[in-house]
Amino acid sequence: MRPANYHIFDDLMGKRLLLVAMILCMLTHGVIEYFTLPGTYDAFVHMFFADHYSRFWFEPWEYRWYTGFLTVSYPPLMHQLVGLLSKIFPMKVSFAIFSTVIMEILIIGIYRFSKIIFDKTTAGIAAILTVVLSSIVETLHVYGQMPTLTGLSFLLNALPFLYQYMIKRKPIYLIMALSFLSVTISSHHVTAIFGMVFFIAPALFMALADGPARDKTKNNLFVFLKAIVIEAVKRWKEIILFGVLMIVMAIGLIFPYWYWSKTDPITQVSIPHGSRDNFFEVTSSGLIFYIIPLILIFALLPAISYTILRKKRFIGWAVSFYLCLLLGSGGSTPIPKMMLGETAFNILTLDRFGFWASIIAIPFMAKYINSFVGGPVKKFWVKNFGQKTHFLLLGTSGFFYFLFLIFVFHLGSFRPLQPKQVEIEPIINFLNRDEHMRWRYLTLGFGDQMAWLGANTMAATVDGNYHSARRLPELTTRPVERLENAKFNGDAGLASLNDFLTNSEKYSLKYVFSNDRFYDPLLYYSGWSRTIRLENGIMVWEKGNISTIKPVTPKEIHPILKITWGTFPISSLVIATLLTIFYLKRFKEQDYLDSVPETDHNYSIATIYGSALLPVILFSGYIVMQINELLLLNEQKDPETAILNFYNHLDFQRFETAFHFFKPTPTYTLDQYLLEKSVNDGGLLPSYAKLDSISTQAITANDDKAQMSVYTIWRTSVGNLSQIDTLILERQKDRWYIIPKSVVPEVPEFQMRSYTFTLFKKQGKRVISSFPTVKDDRVKKPFAAYRQANIIENDSTLYLTGAFLNADDIPINVALKALVTTKKGEKPLTFYAKRNFQYNLWPKASTFFEIDLGNKHLLDSLQIEKISLYADTDVSQTGYIHGGTLGLTSTAVSADSVAIQAHFYNELSTDINIPGVLLAERDQEGIIRQVQLDIHRKAVRSGLNLTFDTGLRKVTALTKVREDIPFELYINGSPRKTRPDGKKHETIEALPHCFISQAIYLQ
């Protein structure tokens, strides 16, 4: 028990420190939050949900993502509150205001939580510590995880009342605890569930320890635990009552969520997350998910451990703290996976456990800081080493931690986590005009800003940023986070994106807004055409012959559940607020924490030294490491390091930095390097590729010179490319420099070039009218024909081949799909042409095509009834120019192999960035047996020639034409027959199929 006169000064100091903490929060987080939230991971996602409730409070069906999902899949309170604020303030401002308020509530919660552990002065220091704790700063300003912070804020405010309920058994404390916990449940279900384990259970244990069992604390651990069990049995009514009411609230408040999770369970491949990595192998993940948020905890771990293990009443908190630290270590050890199980380990983001460990540690860190600043620990340092030494330790630790916090606040600047900010107004204007919202869209290279775009338009996208709501098989069957950042998800991400781009008709996907040219080749070879570059620099890609969005039947839930979802969560906050006011006026006791035993401020010698020196070492060491990495690191200390860093700068297109890796010479300037690069370094690999892996091998090496082989694998949107380069490096002083290769540029024959083709332009509306279509503006369907169409069987595969002709005198878009009707299938199976097809055709031009139908044995088992091939055409004004003049030389290598040499002459007025050829193999009857697309990695400039080698494995002898399957042909819905071209001889044919970066038809 504390002395009667002890609490007067302590209470005054604690409240003053709490006030200081709240003011500091307003001046720091309140000011900075608005500017950091655009770079966070999840802020825009929560704004999207808030926008939904702002528009459709009682309607949980959200159609704008994933062709529709239920918002009952996420507890709504935080989103509903921001949605309400957005009725008064702009959405970003509303989010920033709400974040600041929640931080203030969190500080009060930490203060109250700390008071049931230590004295009020220590609780006040804990409140200040909350403002500057790196884990909280990162959660707010890097992750933008407001539901987590909201749930935690009210959970911490509930713990003191639950503690007092177990001590004094007064119903008001139970009511207050449940009121705050109801807000936690309505804000974040994960915090509520794990809060029962890591926060509520230790609080109950400590309450039992501070009751009659307190007299047993001096006995051995077994006697103490036995006393706790006996006390728990005596209090079984209180414990059971709380548990039952908590379960009833957890189910009732967010019952629609549990109903959704039961009736529509998540069945998808686990998405990789850095918090599950082995931090010893993936140090970047360890840095962002473990070191940065927990660096202060590690620095003060001796003091935390000494205090939390010294008192038996802290046993529950000790178990929770160390267990959270262990689970937060991800895959660094096998223990977290063993404890959580395979499924939970692959679903949960484990950084949340480290975050909870930091919250549990706050009172114990504050206790040591209190002692170090003005208690026994300070006296020890002053007595043994002098006032200056103590001040130096205190000042140095504080200064370096302050620098560390600045780094965390600006983490997105030092290590960009998101693309540069995209102005969304031009995109919104595009979607709003000419009824573009009747189709779905897709964003590429937007980062989490795709959610911000979704929140500001009623247009729908096939993508989304809430993984638990995904039900589209193209997403759930692969470990893909979003289509928007497919290139960062490896082959699975690009495969999923390719499915949507190819099967775009299935989801009425007509527009793609691209902020990353990496995806340009995939878009082009999947049949997409560039239409316009918006004012914000975003390129709009469009696909022709896409039908408008078909009505989607929402997943209905009972109207009563809709009402409860819109009223219960917000009511929980209102009730908690009113009860708090009522409690403060009628029931608050001056000495309501008199049951908390006093704890001394003394520490062991080892703890004093460890917790005083570790902060200086860790904070200063981290800052020095960052300065060294950013400013002082010698990137050219040896040949291998120089090459790795050189390619890293090239990969991120930091060409000026990369230039400084070349040996300095007066004749080779930066301008010369950039000029040579622009002239000679175009094409698929340097312009549209991302470095996937790199390794080096020394050919020759001595002290001053080295010749190195560089093996690189580059990821492109149309497949991976490998390359071997040989570089010569020379040492000057302590740095290794690359000797630039001599370049002999090929000079075009003519200085001036003229257009050798006709450009077409659709006028659009010629009558001023607000109607969607006007009779005078309708364009007739172009004339087109099938030259041939065949069903080919190759081993276990069935596919369609043929040739298609634009018989009209205008360019056209062509959409090609095959429907396989089976006797055992309810719906026809739909297949689309992928890359082996030219989707845009010049007047009187023709193209080959191939459509893969999949496994022959599977189709035969379904008993194919017929195959229908549908072609839809419309007028095009883009994408019909496929390259320059193509010459082809084929040489038989073996009976089933042909070596092909393609010769391009670029007579166009612009570069051909990705030269490509569409090859077709004909048999003796002229039937096309296969179609193959080959692309070259190097560009060809205007007026120049390019020759590259490729090959074709002949399949005529391995395939057969299936004539036993009924085959129907349609063009624009009308039955058609083939119009053979009369070619009946075995040959290899080719068409140019090139990607041109500069869309000349947009000029």
Side-chain angles (χ1 to χ4, degrees):
M1 298 288 292
R2 292 175 178 147
N5 61 347
Y6 177 80
H7 74 275
I8 300 175
F9 172 79
D10 184 57
D11 184 59
L12 181 62
M13 181 57 69
K15 289 182 178 178
R16 285 181 175 179
L17 292 174
L18 173 61
L19 182 61
V20 170
M22 297 180 71
I23 294 173
L24 284 176
C25 175
M26 187 70 70
L27 294 176
T28 53
H29 300 292
V31 173
I32 299 174
E33 169 63 13
Y34 181 82
F35 301 100
T36 58
L37 68 87
T40 60
Y41 280 113
D42 293 334
F44 285 138
V45 180
H46 299 305
M47 289 185 208
F48 176 84
F49 275 84
D51 176 74
H52 169 86
Y53 289 108
S54 176
R55 297 175 190 266
F56 319 108
W57 188 276
F58 289 104
E59 177 50 60
W61 181 255
E62 174 54 73
Y63 70 89
R64 289 178 287 180
W65 285 359
Y66 307 125
T67 69
F69 70 97
L70 288 171
T71 55
V72 298
S73 55
Y74 203 109
L77 181 56
M78 176 259 158
H79 304 135
Q80 289 175 343
L81 293 173
V82 176
L84 285 175
L85 282 173
S86 70
K87 296 292 186 181
I88 305 173
F89 305 100
M91 182 63 74
K92 288 184 180 179
V93 176
S94 301
F95 190 88
I97 292 173
F98 179 83
S99 302
T100 305
V101 173
I102 289 301
M103 280 299 299
E104 299 285 8
I105 297 174
L106 176 62
I107 289 170
I108 296 173
I110 292 290
Y111 177 75
R112 285 178 167 176
F113 167 58
S114 301
K115 285 197 299 182
I116 66 174
I117 298 178
F118 299 117
D119 56 85
K120 294 181 180 179
T121 302
T122 301
I125 296 174
I128 294 177
L129 187 59
T130 305
V131 180
V132 296
L133 190 64
S134 59
S135 62
I136 294 177
V137 171
E138 187 181 51
T139 301
L140 177 60
H141 296 282
V142 178
Y143 299 151
Q145 263 291 349
M146 282 315 302
T148 298
L149 290 174
T150 305
L152 181 67
S153 301
F154 288 91
L155 172 62
L156 293 173
N157 277 280
L159 294 181
F161 294 105
L162 180 61
Y163 173 85
Q164 289 299 330
Y165 169 67
M166 293 303 298
I167 293 289
K168 300 181 179 179
R169 305 188 183 184
K170 292 183 178 180
I172 184 61
Y173 292 122
L174 176 62
I175 293 172
M176 291 300 301
L178 292 174
S179 68
F180 283 113
L181 289 173
S182 68
V183 180
T184 298
I185 293 167
S186 301
S187 301
H188 198 233
H189 56 294
V190 176
T191 300
I193 293 171
F194 284 97
M196 293 287 290
V197 178
F198 296 115
F199 288 91
I200 293 177
L204 291 174
F205 183 94
M206 190 171 67
L208 294 173
D210 291 344
R214 179 188 300 180
D215 298 333
K216 307 291 184 180
T217 56
K218 295 183 179 180
N219 297 323
N220 62 48
L221 181 61
F222 176 78
V223 175
F224 173 72
L225 293 177
K226 181 180 178 182
I228 293 294
V229 173
I230 294 173
E231 185 65 22
V233 172
K234 292 180 181 178
R235 302 290 187 91
W236 70 272
K237 291 182 179 179
E238 288 86 352
I239 296 174
I240 294 297
L241 178 61
F242 168 74
V244 170
L245 292 176
M246 183 68 180
I247 292 173
V248 170
M249 282 198 321
I251 296 175
L253 284 173
I254 54 172
F255 178 77
Y257 168 80
W258 304 115
Y259 178 79
W260 165 82
S261 61
K262 183 67 176 178
T263 57
D264 189 17
I266 303 172
T267 54
Q268 55 182 288
V269 176
S270 173
I271 300 172
H273 193 270
S275 63
R276 306 187 200 111
D277 291 339
N278 184 334
F279 296 155
F280 296 108
E281 296 176 354
V282 187
T283 55
S284 58
S285 294
L287 182 70
I288 193 74
F289 294 114
Y290 207 57
I291 300 301
I292 287 179
L294 299 177
I295 191 169
L296 186 59
I297 284 77
F298 293 136
L300 299 180
L301 192 58
I304 297 171
S305 300
Y306 179 83
T307 307
I308 206 170
L309 296 174
R310 190 181 178 192
K311 298 289 184 180
K312 293 185 179 66
R313 68 188 293 257
F314 297 147
I315 287 177
W317 296 116
V319 172
S320 290
F321 173 70
Y322 291 113
L323 186 57
C324 284
L325 272 186
L326 178 63
L327 294 175
S329 64
S332 303
T333 67
I335 299 176
K337 181 178 286 189
M338 293 169 58
M339 295 181 65
L340 295 171
E342 184 80 22
T343 302
F345 181 85
N346 290 325
I347 292 176
L348 294 171
T349 52
L350 303 184
D351 56 299
R352 70 177 75 243
F353 294 104
F355 173 68
W356 290 330
S358 71
I359 299 300
I360 295 171
I362 289 178
F364 301 97
M365 291 189 293
K367 184 71 174 177
Y368 173 78
I369 293 172
N370 188 11
S371 182
F372 185 77
V373 173
V377 175
K378 176 184 177 181
K379 293 178 182 178
F380 171 85
W381 281 100
V382 172
K383 179 180 178 181
N384 292 278
F385 301 98
Q387 182 76 32
K388 291 183 179 179
T389 302
H390 173 263
F391 179 79
L392 184 64
L393 278 175
L394 183 63
T396 305
S397 299
F399 174 73
F400 281 112
Y401 186 71
F402 177 73
L403 292 180
F404 172 75
L405 273 184
I406 294 177
F407 171 79
V408 177
F409 272 114
H410 297 279
L411 188 61
S413 300
F414 292 107
R415 300 175 182 271
L417 307 173
Q418 299 287 343
K420 293 182 179 179
Q421 186 172 350
V422 177
E423 294 293 334
I424 63 171
E425 285 76 11
I427 303 175
I428 295 172
N429 293 336
F430 177 87
L431 291 170
N432 288 339
R433 67 174 179 258
D434 297 333
E435 296 195 327
H436 290 157
M437 284 197 292
R438 296 178 66 192
W439 292 269
R440 289 191 177 92
Y441 71 90
L442 178 65
T443 57
L444 295 175
F446 276 54
D448 289 284
Q449 294 175 90
M450 61 86 58
W452 178 238
L453 174 61
N456 284 274
T457 179
M458 297 302 293
T461 175
V462 293
D463 202 4
N465 205 9
Y466 179 46
H467 315 143
S468 298
R470 306 180 311 165
R471 293 300 182 269
L472 302 181
E474 294 88 347
L475 290 172
T476 57
T477 56
R478 297 187 179 99
V480 179
E481 183 181 21
R482 296 189 303 267
L483 295 174
E484 174 280 323
N485 64 351
K487 75 177 184 181
F488 298 110
N489 292 291
D491 294 335
L494 290 173
S496 183
L497 176 60
N498 184 62
D499 285 347
F500 280 95
L501 295 178
T502 302
N503 307 339
S504 51
E505 169 64 23
K506 178 180 178 181
Y507 296 114
S508 299
L509 174 59
K510 187 176 180 66
Y511 301 107
V512 171
F513 301 106
S514 179
N515 190 38
D516 189 345
R517 68 175 183 175
F518 172 89
Y519 302 100
D520 287 5
L522 177 61
L523 287 163
Y524 174 75
Y525 287 111
S526 299
W528 293 77
S529 300
R530 289 161 293 184
T531 58
I532 186 176
R533 186 176 293 278
L534 301 176
E535 298 92 323
N536 56 2
I538 301 299
M539 177 60 75
V540 182
W541 293 72
E542 180 181 355
K543 199 169 191 179
N545 298 289
I546 302 296
S547 58
T548 55
I549 298 175
K550 303 173 182 63
V552 177
T553 303
K555 291 183 179 179
E556 286 293 337
I557 62 175
H558 199 279
I560 294 178
L561 295 182
K562 294 182 181 181
I563 295 173
T564 60
W565 191 254
T567 56
F568 280 12
I570 202 74
S571 298
S572 68
L573 178 64
V574 174
I575 293 172
T577 303
L578 295 176
L579 282 173
T580 301
I581 297 172
F582 180 69
Y583 166 80
L584 291 175
K585 286 189 174 183
R586 295 289 302 272
F587 290 96
K588 189 175 188 305
E589 304 172 19
Q590 185 66 25
D591 57 346
Y592 77 107
L593 288 175
D594 57 355
S595 58
V596 178
E598 184 180 355
T599 306
D600 62 59
H601 293 262
N602 296 310
Y603 291 87
S604 66
I605 299 298
T607 302
I608 290 174
Y609 281 112
S611 291
L613 298 177
L614 265 179
V616 177
I617 296 171
L618 289 180
F619 302 155
S620 62
Y622 186 86
I623 296 300
V624 169
M625 181 185 71
Q626 292 299 319
I627 293 175
N628 179 64
E629 181 179 338
L630 294 173
L631 302 176
L632 305 177
L633 184 65
N634 185 358
E635 295 185 332
Q636 299 166 248
K637 62 181 180 180
D638 56 62
E640 182 178 4
T641 302
I643 289 174
L644 293 178
N645 285 297
F646 173 71
Y647 274 83
N648 180 60
H649 292 306
L650 288 182
D651 185 34
F652 287 94
Q653 299 185 0
R654 297 188 289 258
F655 300 128
E656 185 171 350
T657 305
F659 168 75
H660 294 293
F661 282 74
F662 290 111
K663 180 181 177 181
T665 172
T667 59
Y668 194 69
T669 62
L670 174 62
D671 290 341
Q672 181 66 25
Y673 166 68
L674 295 176
L675 180 61
E676 290 181 359
K677 188 169 185 60
S678 65
V679 171
N680 300 292
D681 213 12
L684 178 61
L685 193 150
S687 301
Y688 304 95
K690 190 71 179 170
L691 185 61
D692 187 70
S693 64
I694 181 172
S695 61
T696 62
Q697 183 177 351
I699 301 174
T700 60
N702 53 44
D703 293 341
D704 297 318
K705 203 165 188 177
Q707 186 176 15
M708 306 286 291
S709 286
V710 185
Y711 302 86
T712 53
I713 297 178
W714 299 82
R715 186 181 301 280
T716 77
S717 59
V718 290
N720 292 346
L721 295 174
S722 59
Q723 181 163 299
I724 301 176
D725 295 316
T726 301
L727 299 179
I728 299 175
L729 295 94
E730 190 175 292
R731 181 178 180 179
Q732 289 188 356
K733 296 182 180 180
D734 61 340
R735 294 177 180 269
W736 286 83
Y737 293 93
I738 301 171
I739 306 298
K741 295 180 180 179
S742 58
V743 177
V744 181
E746 187 178 359
V747 180
E749 181 178 357
F750 301 103
Q751 179 69 19
M752 294 290 294
R753 300 204 61 79
S754 61
Y755 288 98
T756 57
F757 45 84
T758 303
L759 293 179
F760 293 83
K761 177 68 176 178
K762 283 199 297 185
Q763 291 294 337
K765 286 187 176 182
R766 291 172 293 165
V767 175
I768 299 175
S769 171
S770 60
F771 289 99
T773 57
V774 180
K775 182 176 181 180
D776 295 341
D777 295 323
R778 292 174 183 168
V779 181
K780 64 180 179 65
K781 284 288 187 179
F783 295 108
Y786 291 102
R787 286 295 195 188
Q788 64 171 276
N790 320 290
I791 305 174
I792 307 295
E793 178 183 321
N794 183 356
D795 193 14
S796 61
T797 304
L798 206 64
Y799 56 91
L800 307 180
T801 65
F804 191 85
L805 170 68
N806 174 14
D808 216 315
D809 56 0
I810 54 175
I812 66 171
N813 292 319
V814 185
L816 207 60
K817 68 179 178 180
L819 266 61
V820 180
T821 306
T822 62
K823 296 179 181 178
K824 293 185 177 181
E826 296 180 0
K827 294 181 179 180
L829 303 175
T830 305
F831 302 90
Y832 295 89
K834 296 184 178 180
R835 300 177 194 169
N836 299 331
F837 180 54
Q838 287 184 351
Y839 291 83
N840 307 82
L841 295 177
W842 184 269
K844 302 299 186 290
S846 62
T847 179
F848 315 120
F849 66 83
E850 180 177 305
I851 303 177
D852 186 7
L853 304 181
N855 189 287
K856 174 184 76 72
H857 303 295
L858 175 61
L859 293 174
D860 287 343
S861 66
L862 295 175
Q863 299 180 14
I864 300 176
E865 186 175 314
K866 66 177 180 179
I867 297 178
S868 304
L869 183 60
Y870 289 86
D872 291 308
T873 67
D874 64 6
V875 177
S876 173
Q877 65 173 357
T878 60
Y880 47 80
I881 300 173
H882 295 288
T885 303
L886 173 65
L888 198 72
T889 303
S890 59
T891 305
V893 177
S894 62
D896 62 348
S897 181
V898 178
I900 296 174
Q901 188 176 74
H903 178 80
F904 270 102
Y905 173 64
N906 182 9
E907 79 277 11
L908 304 176
S909 59
T910 185
D911 295 351
I912 296 176
N913 297 78
I914 305 178
V917 290
L918 193 64
L919 301 172
E921 175 191 354
R922 291 182 184 264
D923 61 13
Q924 293 180 349
E925 297 297 321
I927 296 175
I928 297 175
R929 293 298 185 113
Q930 69 166 323
V931 180
Q932 173 181 304
L933 172 66
D934 286 336
I935 57 180
H936 187 57
R937 66 183 66 190
K938 188 176 180 182
V940 53
R941 291 176 60 204
S942 175
L944 298 181
N945 297 274
L946 173 70
T947 300
F948 69 91
D949 297 322
T950 183
L952 184 72
R953 180 175 175 268
K954 299 177 69 175
V955 298
T956 298
L958 305 174
T959 59
K960 67 176 182 179
V961 180
R962 292 284 297 268
E963 298 180 349
D964 58 316
I965 302 175
F967 197 12
E968 300 176 347
L969 303 177
Y970 296 88
I971 296 180
N972 296 321
S974 301
R976 295 294 180 89
K977 295 183 179 180
T978 58
R979 296 184 177 181
D981 51 18
K983 297 181 179 179
K984 290 190 176 184
H985 58 277
E986 184 177 353
T987 185
I988 305 295
E989 292 187 359
L991 294 172
H993 195 17
C994 309
F995 172 66
I996 303 172
S997 173
Q998 184 182 0
I1000 50 182
Y1001 40 77
L1002 296 181
Q1003 294 179 347

